[in-house]
Amino acid sequence: MISGFRDVTPQAIAELYDRYSERTAALLGGSIHFGHWPDPAESAPAAPAASVASVATASARMTRLMTDALGVGPGDRVLDAGCGTGRPALQLARTTGATVTGITLSGEQVRLASAAAAAEGLSDRVSFRLADVAEARFPADSFDGAWLFESLLHMPDPRHVLRRIHDALRPGARLAIANVVERAPLPAASRPALDTFCALNRIAAILPLADYPALLADAGLAVESVTDVSEHSVPQTLRALCAAIRADDTDVPPEEREERRTLLDAMDRLAATPELGYAIVVASKPRRP
């Protein structure tokens, strides 16, 4: 079964990230994506400050896995479709020498990401702008790599988005996708928690991992690898985020308190649901004969 809400709109996603990006990034050490813990038994420390540092390290590790998957180098052009606060794009540029174009629906994310690029002296190679990947038009064969770092789940028509990215990639270039997935059908008891998580995070769909090869093939992309990192990522990240939210002493407006409690309850349940997973999927645009 596919979880999510396919009527999610770009405006709803933009409003969510305009409102929460800065706060969420602070709770997660800069980035707003899942992390990677090498030891599945490891969890974030209980102390809030130490937990933020642990999650930041885990986030950087996940970004490194995505960077290695792309295989880009100095002078290559990379599209970051759904760039968030820009931290993954900046790490990619620092470690590879590539030039990165980040796009997002959120004006607040453009502001945060652009400020981070300026602070790191990378504005000449890393830029961010408002755009919807489903509508943006890039010249054919203009990128040497692209990634969808937890952004495909917001898109009601992933096939359309993947075809757009296919057209923008040069032959032989790779696309890396990091995403929350269903490893197996969720038990009925966990389904309401996932539906709540999707609704509050404006998620259009969480797809079964088994669907990805056909989805990418339909877009003209050849799958190179599918890596399930669920046990190194999902429970640790969800528990760390729950702990950080509970320890956050920022004033929460009254209208957000019930929503916050509902989200925490959902994440607590999902952290103990092994059928909810996380994967890195790598595909490439076939070379021309």
Side-chain angles (χ1 to χ4, degrees), residues 10-179:
Q11 180 181 358
I13 297 166
E15 289 173 351
L16 175 77
Y17 284 116
D18 282 346
R19 189 173 187 178
Y20 292 115
S21 286
E22 188 166 21
R23 185 188 300 176
T24 304
L27 295 176
L28 292 176
S31 295
I32 54 174
H33 62 76
F34 280 59
H36 184 279
W37 280 259
D39 180 359
E42 183 184 357
S43 61
S51 179
V52 170
S54 174
V55 175
T57 299
S59 295
R61 192 178 293 116
M62 187 71 80
T63 300
R64 183 68 208 208
L65 292 176
M66 287 283 282
T67 299
D68 290 346
L70 277 186
V72 296
D76 285 339
R77 297 186 64 221
V78 177
L79 174 64
D80 181 351
C83 60
T85 57
R87 298 293 178 177
L90 295 171
Q91 182 176 332
L92 170 66
R94 281 197 310 271
T95 57
T96 67
T99 296
V100 186
T101 299
I103 61 173
T104 173
L105 296 169
S106 165
E108 177 65 4
Q109 289 189 338
V110 171
R111 182 188 71 81
L112 293 170
S114 298
E120 295 194 25
L122 287 170
S123 296
D124 60 328
R125 288 197 290 114
V126 187
S127 61
F128 304 96
R129 63 183 177 89
L130 276 176
D132 182 348
V133 67
E135 302 297 333
R137 297 192 178 278
F138 297 102
D141 303 349
S142 58
F143 289 101
D144 303 291
W147 68 24
L148 292 159
F149 213 144
E150 287 178 36
S151 54
L152 192 64
L153 49 72
H154 288 301
M155 301 171 187
D157 190 350
R159 285 179 173 80
H160 172 72
V161 169
L162 291 171
R163 288 170 187 150
R164 283 293 182 96
I165 292 177
H166 166 277
D167 293 345
L169 290 174
R170 65 166 176 78
R174 287 176 175 167
L175 166 66
I177 302 171
N179 219 0

